[in-house]
mmCIF file of all heavy atoms in Angstrom:
data_model
loop_
_atom_site.group_PDB
_atom_site.id
_atom_site.type_symbol
_atom_site.label_atom_id
_atom_site.label_comp_id
_atom_site.label_asym_id
_atom_site.label_seq_id
_atom_site.Cartn_x
_atom_site.Cartn_y
_atom_site.Cartn_z
ATOM 1 N N GLY A 831 4.446 3.320 67.168
ATOM 2 C CA GLY A 831 3.342 2.766 66.384
ATOM 3 C C GLY A 831 2.148 2.352 67.205
ATOM 4 O O GLY A 831 1.312 1.563 66.751
ATOM 5 N N LEU A 832 1.993 2.910 68.390
ATOM 6 C CA LEU A 832 0.894 2.536 69.283
ATOM 7 C C LEU A 832 -0.364 3.371 69.050
ATOM 8 O O LEU A 832 -1.451 2.980 69.490
ATOM 9 C CB LEU A 832 1.337 2.685 70.749
ATOM 10 C CG LEU A 832 2.489 1.785 71.198
ATOM 11 C CD1 LEU A 832 2.875 2.104 72.628
ATOM 12 C CD2 LEU A 832 2.095 0.318 71.075
ATOM 13 N N ASP A 833 -0.207 4.528 68.411
ATOM 14 C CA ASP A 833 -1.338 5.434 68.167
ATOM 15 C C ASP A 833 -2.115 5.709 69.457
ATOM 16 O O ASP A 833 -3.347 5.706 69.482
ATOM 17 C CB ASP A 833 -2.294 4.843 67.115
ATOM 18 C CG ASP A 833 -1.625 4.693 65.746
ATOM 19 O OD1 ASP A 833 -0.605 5.360 65.512
ATOM 20 O OD2 ASP A 833 -2.133 3.907 64.920
ATOM 21 N N CYS A 834 -1.384 5.976 70.529
ATOM 22 C CA CYS A 834 -2.016 6.159 71.838
ATOM 23 C C CYS A 834 -2.638 7.536 72.015
ATOM 24 O O CYS A 834 -3.508 7.715 72.868
ATOM 25 C CB CYS A 834 -0.998 5.903 72.945
ATOM 26 S SG CYS A 834 0.364 7.106 72.989
ATOM 27 N N GLY A 835 -2.172 8.521 71.259
ATOM 28 C CA GLY A 835 -2.738 9.867 71.334
ATOM 29 C C GLY A 835 -2.186 10.722 72.450
ATOM 30 O O GLY A 835 -2.593 11.878 72.604
ATOM 31 N N SER A 836 -1.271 10.189 73.270
ATOM 32 C CA SER A 836 -0.757 10.967 74.402
ATOM 33 C C SER A 836 0.091 12.158 73.959
ATOM 34 O O SER A 836 0.291 13.095 74.737
ATOM 35 C CB SER A 836 0.068 10.061 75.330
ATOM 36 O OG SER A 836 1.159 9.489 74.618
ATOM 37 N N CYS A 837 0.551 12.146 72.703
ATOM 38 C CA CYS A 837 1.364 13.247 72.171
ATOM 39 C C CYS A 837 0.507 14.432 71.732
ATOM 40 O O CYS A 837 1.024 15.500 71.416
ATOM 41 C CB CYS A 837 2.206 12.766 70.994
ATOM 42 S SG CYS A 837 1.197 12.188 69.602
ATOM 43 N N GLY A 838 -0.818 14.226 71.683
ATOM 44 C CA GLY A 838 -1.704 15.278 71.204
ATOM 45 C C GLY A 838 -2.049 15.141 69.736
ATOM 46 O O GLY A 838 -2.758 15.973 69.177
ATOM 47 N N ALA A 839 -1.570 14.067 69.090
ATOM 48 C CA ALA A 839 -1.928 13.751 67.705
ATOM 49 C C ALA A 839 -2.664 12.413 67.709
ATOM 50 O O ALA A 839 -2.405 11.563 68.564
ATOM 51 C CB ALA A 839 -0.688 13.678 66.824
ATOM 52 N N PRO A 840 -3.567 12.193 66.758
ATOM 53 C CA PRO A 840 -4.395 10.983 66.790
ATOM 54 C C PRO A 840 -3.659 9.694 66.453
ATOM 55 O O PRO A 840 -4.153 8.608 66.743
ATOM 56 C CB PRO A 840 -5.491 11.274 65.765
ATOM 57 C CG PRO A 840 -4.880 12.266 64.832
ATOM 58 C CD PRO A 840 -3.975 13.098 65.677
ATOM 59 N N SER A 841 -2.504 9.790 65.808
ATOM 60 C CA SER A 841 -1.757 8.598 65.424
ATOM 61 C C SER A 841 -0.282 8.936 65.310
ATOM 62 O O SER A 841 0.105 10.116 65.244
ATOM 63 C CB SER A 841 -2.255 8.050 64.075
ATOM 64 O OG SER A 841 -1.977 8.982 63.031
ATOM 65 N N CYS A 842 0.546 7.903 65.284
ATOM 66 C CA CYS A 842 1.989 8.127 65.137
ATOM 67 C C CYS A 842 2.293 8.761 63.783
ATOM 68 O O CYS A 842 3.186 9.613 63.668
ATOM 69 C CB CYS A 842 2.740 6.802 65.282
ATOM 70 S SG CYS A 842 2.746 6.166 66.983
ATOM 71 N N ARG A 843 1.566 8.355 62.758
ATOM 72 C CA ARG A 843 1.787 8.953 61.449
ATOM 73 C C ARG A 843 1.453 10.447 61.460
ATOM 74 O O ARG A 843 2.144 11.261 60.870
ATOM 75 C CB ARG A 843 0.963 8.243 60.377
ATOM 76 C CG ARG A 843 1.200 8.840 58.999
ATOM 77 C CD ARG A 843 0.495 8.125 57.873
ATOM 78 N NE ARG A 843 0.820 8.773 56.613
ATOM 79 C CZ ARG A 843 1.907 8.565 55.906
ATOM 80 N NH1 ARG A 843 2.818 7.690 56.332
ATOM 81 N NH2 ARG A 843 2.135 9.202 54.772
ATOM 82 N N ALA A 844 0.361 10.795 62.151
ATOM 83 C CA ALA A 844 -0.017 12.204 62.243
ATOM 84 C C ALA A 844 1.054 13.004 62.979
ATOM 85 O O ALA A 844 1.372 14.139 62.593
ATOM 86 C CB ALA A 844 -1.359 12.339 62.952
ATOM 87 N N LEU A 845 1.627 12.420 64.029
ATOM 88 C CA LEU A 845 2.704 13.099 64.745
ATOM 89 C C LEU A 845 3.925 13.269 63.841
ATOM 90 O O LEU A 845 4.542 14.344 63.812
ATOM 91 C CB LEU A 845 3.090 12.321 66.008
ATOM 92 C CG LEU A 845 4.288 12.888 66.785
ATOM 93 C CD1 LEU A 845 4.000 14.310 67.260
ATOM 94 C CD2 LEU A 845 4.649 11.989 67.963
ATOM 95 N N ALA A 846 4.268 12.217 63.096
ATOM 96 C CA ALA A 846 5.406 12.305 62.182
ATOM 97 C C ALA A 846 5.201 13.415 61.153
ATOM 98 O O ALA A 846 6.123 14.175 60.831
ATOM 99 C CB ALA A 846 5.616 10.964 61.486
ATOM 100 N N GLU A 847 3.994 13.511 60.672
ATOM 101 C CA GLU A 847 3.639 14.567 59.720
ATOM 102 C C GLU A 847 3.793 15.942 60.359
ATOM 103 O O GLU A 847 4.348 16.876 59.761
ATOM 104 C CB GLU A 847 2.192 14.357 59.276
ATOM 105 C CG GLU A 847 1.782 15.117 58.043
ATOM 106 C CD GLU A 847 0.333 14.813 57.673
ATOM 107 O OE1 GLU A 847 -0.013 13.627 57.555
ATOM 108 O OE2 GLU A 847 -0.436 15.779 57.525
ATOM 109 N N ASP A 848 3.322 16.079 61.603
ATOM 110 C CA ASP A 848 3.441 17.345 62.323
ATOM 111 C C ASP A 848 4.896 17.726 62.545
ATOM 112 O O ASP A 848 5.264 18.904 62.463
ATOM 113 C CB ASP A 848 2.715 17.257 63.670
ATOM 114 C CG ASP A 848 1.203 17.175 63.524
ATOM 115 O OD1 ASP A 848 0.702 17.417 62.402
ATOM 116 O OD2 ASP A 848 0.526 16.866 64.526
ATOM 117 N N ILE A 849 5.724 16.733 62.847
ATOM 118 C CA ILE A 849 7.149 16.993 63.073
ATOM 119 C C ILE A 849 7.805 17.521 61.804
ATOM 120 O O ILE A 849 8.543 18.513 61.820
ATOM 121 C CB ILE A 849 7.866 15.712 63.565
ATOM 122 C CG1 ILE A 849 7.356 15.315 64.956
ATOM 123 C CG2 ILE A 849 9.381 15.914 63.586
ATOM 124 C CD1 ILE A 849 7.795 13.932 65.400
ATOM 125 N N VAL A 850 7.514 16.871 60.689
ATOM 126 C CA VAL A 850 8.092 17.284 59.408
ATOM 127 C C VAL A 850 7.630 18.696 59.038
ATOM 128 O O VAL A 850 8.390 19.491 58.476
ATOM 129 C CB VAL A 850 7.708 16.280 58.290
ATOM 130 C CG1 VAL A 850 8.083 16.817 56.922
ATOM 131 C CG2 VAL A 850 8.381 14.942 58.538
ATOM 132 N N ARG A 851 6.406 19.016 59.386
ATOM 133 C CA ARG A 851 5.875 20.349 59.075
ATOM 134 C C ARG A 851 6.338 21.414 60.062
ATOM 135 O O ARG A 851 6.088 22.600 59.864
ATOM 136 C CB ARG A 851 4.344 20.307 59.062
ATOM 137 C CG ARG A 851 3.759 19.534 57.897
ATOM 138 C CD ARG A 851 2.246 19.615 57.910
ATOM 139 N NE ARG A 851 1.690 19.068 56.686
ATOM 140 C CZ ARG A 851 0.511 19.407 56.186
ATOM 141 N NH1 ARG A 851 -0.221 20.313 56.802
ATOM 142 N NH2 ARG A 851 0.071 18.872 55.078
ATOM 143 N N GLY A 852 6.982 20.974 61.137
ATOM 144 C CA GLY A 852 7.504 21.925 62.108
ATOM 145 C C GLY A 852 6.529 22.306 63.199
ATOM 146 O O GLY A 852 6.745 23.273 63.933
ATOM 147 N N TYR A 853 5.436 21.519 63.347
ATOM 148 C CA TYR A 853 4.421 21.832 64.353
ATOM 149 C C TYR A 853 4.607 21.033 65.642
ATOM 150 O O TYR A 853 3.899 21.266 66.627
ATOM 151 C CB TYR A 853 3.017 21.543 63.808
ATOM 152 C CG TYR A 853 2.660 22.295 62.557
ATOM 153 C CD1 TYR A 853 1.885 21.711 61.560
ATOM 154 C CD2 TYR A 853 3.090 23.605 62.355
ATOM 155 C CE1 TYR A 853 1.549 22.404 60.396
ATOM 156 C CE2 TYR A 853 2.767 24.307 61.209
ATOM 157 C CZ TYR A 853 1.998 23.704 60.233
ATOM 158 O OH TYR A 853 1.674 24.396 59.083
ATOM 159 N N ALA A 854 5.525 20.090 65.641
ATOM 160 C CA ALA A 854 5.757 19.244 66.810
ATOM 161 C C ALA A 854 7.205 18.758 66.780
ATOM 162 O O ALA A 854 7.936 18.998 65.812
ATOM 163 C CB ALA A 854 4.784 18.062 66.803
ATOM 164 N N ASN A 855 7.615 18.070 67.846
ATOM 165 C CA ASN A 855 8.960 17.472 67.838
ATOM 166 C C ASN A 855 8.876 16.046 68.344
ATOM 167 O O ASN A 855 7.867 15.638 68.946
ATOM 168 C CB ASN A 855 9.954 18.313 68.649
ATOM 169 C CG ASN A 855 9.659 18.295 70.134
ATOM 170 O OD1 ASN A 855 9.884 17.297 70.814
ATOM 171 N ND2 ASN A 855 9.150 19.416 70.648
ATOM 172 N N ILE A 856 9.929 15.296 68.124
ATOM 173 C CA ILE A 856 9.936 13.866 68.397
ATOM 174 C C ILE A 856 9.675 13.552 69.868
ATOM 175 O O ILE A 856 9.094 12.529 70.224
ATOM 176 C CB ILE A 856 11.271 13.225 67.944
ATOM 177 C CG1 ILE A 856 11.166 11.687 67.912
ATOM 178 C CG2 ILE A 856 12.411 13.674 68.843
ATOM 179 C CD1 ILE A 856 10.402 11.154 66.754
ATOM 180 N N TYR A 857 10.046 14.498 70.760
ATOM 181 C CA TYR A 857 9.908 14.246 72.192
ATOM 182 C C TYR A 857 8.516 14.581 72.726
ATOM 183 O O TYR A 857 8.276 14.469 73.923
ATOM 184 C CB TYR A 857 10.992 15.007 72.962
ATOM 185 C CG TYR A 857 12.372 14.501 72.584
ATOM 186 C CD1 TYR A 857 13.276 15.326 71.928
ATOM 187 C CD2 TYR A 857 12.744 13.178 72.854
ATOM 188 C CE1 TYR A 857 14.514 14.855 71.548
ATOM 189 C CE2 TYR A 857 13.983 12.697 72.477
ATOM 190 C CZ TYR A 857 14.874 13.539 71.823
ATOM 191 O OH TYR A 857 16.099 13.071 71.451
ATOM 192 N N ASP A 858 7.599 14.957 71.817
ATOM 193 C CA ASP A 858 6.196 15.023 72.216
ATOM 194 C C ASP A 858 5.666 13.627 72.505
ATOM 195 O O ASP A 858 4.678 13.464 73.232
ATOM 196 C CB ASP A 858 5.351 15.679 71.115
ATOM 197 C CG ASP A 858 5.558 17.180 71.042
ATOM 198 O OD1 ASP A 858 5.858 17.778 72.084
ATOM 199 O OD2 ASP A 858 5.423 17.742 69.940
ATOM 200 N N CYS A 859 6.333 12.626 71.926
ATOM 201 C CA CYS A 859 5.980 11.231 72.195
ATOM 202 C C CYS A 859 6.567 10.824 73.537
ATOM 203 O O CYS A 859 7.785 10.892 73.742
ATOM 204 C CB CYS A 859 6.511 10.322 71.087
ATOM 205 S SG CYS A 859 6.292 8.557 71.427
ATOM 206 N N MET A 860 5.734 10.414 74.476
ATOM 207 C CA MET A 860 6.184 10.069 75.820
ATOM 208 C C MET A 860 7.180 8.914 75.810
ATOM 209 O O MET A 860 8.070 8.840 76.658
ATOM 210 C CB MET A 860 4.983 9.725 76.708
ATOM 211 C CG MET A 860 4.150 8.548 76.251
ATOM 212 S SD MET A 860 2.687 8.265 77.302
ATOM 213 C CE MET A 860 3.472 7.770 78.830
ATOM 214 N N PHE A 861 7.061 8.026 74.827
ATOM 215 C CA PHE A 861 7.971 6.887 74.764
ATOM 216 C C PHE A 861 9.359 7.311 74.292
ATOM 217 O O PHE A 861 10.366 6.768 74.723
ATOM 218 C CB PHE A 861 7.394 5.809 73.844
ATOM 219 C CG PHE A 861 6.106 5.237 74.339
ATOM 220 C CD1 PHE A 861 4.888 5.679 73.850
ATOM 221 C CD2 PHE A 861 6.103 4.264 75.325
ATOM 222 C CE1 PHE A 861 3.701 5.168 74.315
ATOM 223 C CE2 PHE A 861 4.905 3.744 75.806
ATOM 224 C CZ PHE A 861 3.704 4.198 75.296
ATOM 225 N N MET A 862 9.400 8.306 73.429
ATOM 226 C CA MET A 862 10.699 8.827 72.983
ATOM 227 C C MET A 862 11.366 9.581 74.122
ATOM 228 O O MET A 862 12.589 9.569 74.269
ATOM 229 C CB MET A 862 10.516 9.744 71.783
ATOM 230 C CG MET A 862 9.939 9.061 70.564
ATOM 231 S SD MET A 862 10.859 7.569 70.067
ATOM 232 C CE MET A 862 12.446 8.279 69.623
ATOM 233 N N ASN A 863 10.577 10.224 74.979
ATOM 234 C CA ASN A 863 11.114 10.872 76.156
ATOM 235 C C ASN A 863 11.754 9.863 77.090
ATOM 236 O O ASN A 863 12.823 10.076 77.633
ATOM 237 C CB ASN A 863 10.009 11.633 76.904
ATOM 238 C CG ASN A 863 9.900 13.075 76.457
ATOM 239 O OD1 ASN A 863 10.907 13.749 76.305
ATOM 240 N ND2 ASN A 863 8.674 13.553 76.232
ATOM 241 N N ASP A 864 11.063 8.705 77.254
ATOM 242 C CA ASP A 864 11.611 7.644 78.118
ATOM 243 C C ASP A 864 12.913 7.133 77.553
ATOM 244 O O ASP A 864 13.895 6.928 78.301
ATOM 245 C CB ASP A 864 10.612 6.497 78.225
ATOM 246 C CG ASP A 864 9.394 6.863 79.062
ATOM 247 O OD1 ASP A 864 9.469 7.864 79.804
ATOM 248 O OD2 ASP A 864 8.367 6.163 78.973
ATOM 249 N N ASN A 865 12.972 6.945 76.214
ATOM 250 C CA ASN A 865 14.191 6.455 75.597
ATOM 251 C C ASN A 865 15.340 7.444 75.782
ATOM 252 O O ASN A 865 16.481 7.083 76.026
ATOM 253 C CB ASN A 865 13.961 6.218 74.095
ATOM 254 C CG ASN A 865 13.043 5.022 73.855
ATOM 255 O OD1 ASN A 865 12.915 4.181 74.738
ATOM 256 N ND2 ASN A 865 12.400 4.992 72.703
ATOM 257 N N ASN A 866 14.998 8.732 75.664
ATOM 258 C CA ASN A 866 16.014 9.765 75.796
ATOM 259 C C ASN A 866 16.573 9.779 77.211
ATOM 260 O O ASN A 866 17.772 9.898 77.438
ATOM 261 C CB ASN A 866 15.399 11.137 75.462
ATOM 262 C CG ASN A 866 16.443 12.232 75.356
ATOM 263 O OD1 ASN A 866 17.499 12.050 74.752
ATOM 264 N ND2 ASN A 866 16.145 13.373 75.971
ATOM 265 N N ASN A 867 15.679 9.634 78.217
ATOM 266 C CA ASN A 867 16.119 9.609 79.610
ATOM 267 C C ASN A 867 17.003 8.394 79.911
ATOM 268 O O ASN A 867 17.977 8.479 80.632
ATOM 269 C CB ASN A 867 14.905 9.617 80.549
ATOM 270 C CG ASN A 867 14.149 10.937 80.488
ATOM 271 O OD1 ASN A 867 14.735 11.965 80.163
ATOM 272 N ND2 ASN A 867 12.857 10.905 80.810
ATOM 273 N N ASP A 868 16.628 7.241 79.283
ATOM 274 C CA ASP A 868 17.426 6.015 79.488
ATOM 275 C C ASP A 868 18.835 6.199 78.952
ATOM 276 O O ASP A 868 19.826 5.802 79.561
ATOM 277 C CB ASP A 868 16.751 4.824 78.788
ATOM 278 C CG ASP A 868 15.473 4.397 79.506
ATOM 279 O OD1 ASP A 868 15.295 4.815 80.674
ATOM 280 O OD2 ASP A 868 14.681 3.679 78.885
ATOM 281 N N ASN A 869 18.909 6.835 77.758
ATOM 282 C CA ASN A 869 20.215 7.042 77.141
ATOM 283 C C ASN A 869 21.073 7.986 77.980
ATOM 284 O O ASN A 869 22.279 7.797 78.139
ATOM 285 C CB ASN A 869 20.047 7.614 75.737
ATOM 286 C CG ASN A 869 19.464 6.593 74.784
ATOM 287 O OD1 ASN A 869 19.611 5.395 75.000
ATOM 288 N ND2 ASN A 869 18.796 7.048 73.726
ATOM 289 N N GLU A 870 20.424 9.016 78.543
ATOM 290 C CA GLU A 870 21.184 9.954 79.366
ATOM 291 C C GLU A 870 21.663 9.289 80.635
ATOM 292 O O GLU A 870 22.771 9.534 81.117
ATOM 293 C CB GLU A 870 20.288 11.158 79.717
ATOM 294 C CG GLU A 870 20.036 12.082 78.515
ATOM 295 C CD GLU A 870 19.123 13.240 78.864
ATOM 296 O OE1 GLU A 870 18.629 13.283 80.002
ATOM 297 O OE2 GLU A 870 18.893 14.088 77.978
ATOM 298 N N GLY A 871 20.820 8.395 81.206
ATOM 299 C CA GLY A 871 21.220 7.700 82.436
ATOM 300 C C GLY A 871 22.346 6.731 82.188
ATOM 301 O O GLY A 871 23.164 6.482 83.057
ATOM 302 N N GLY A 872 22.407 6.136 80.962
ATOM 303 C CA GLY A 872 23.451 5.169 80.635
ATOM 304 C C GLY A 872 24.747 5.815 80.378
ATOM 305 O O GLY A 872 25.790 5.175 80.431
#
């Protein structure tokens, strides 16, 4: 919910919309990538 734009979408909602439409995936969000790496390390 930071709307940082680092994923290439202007807001988190826009990214969520893109994911549902099949134009993006959840790991385009850098923070979700960090969470995924943490889980793998644990």
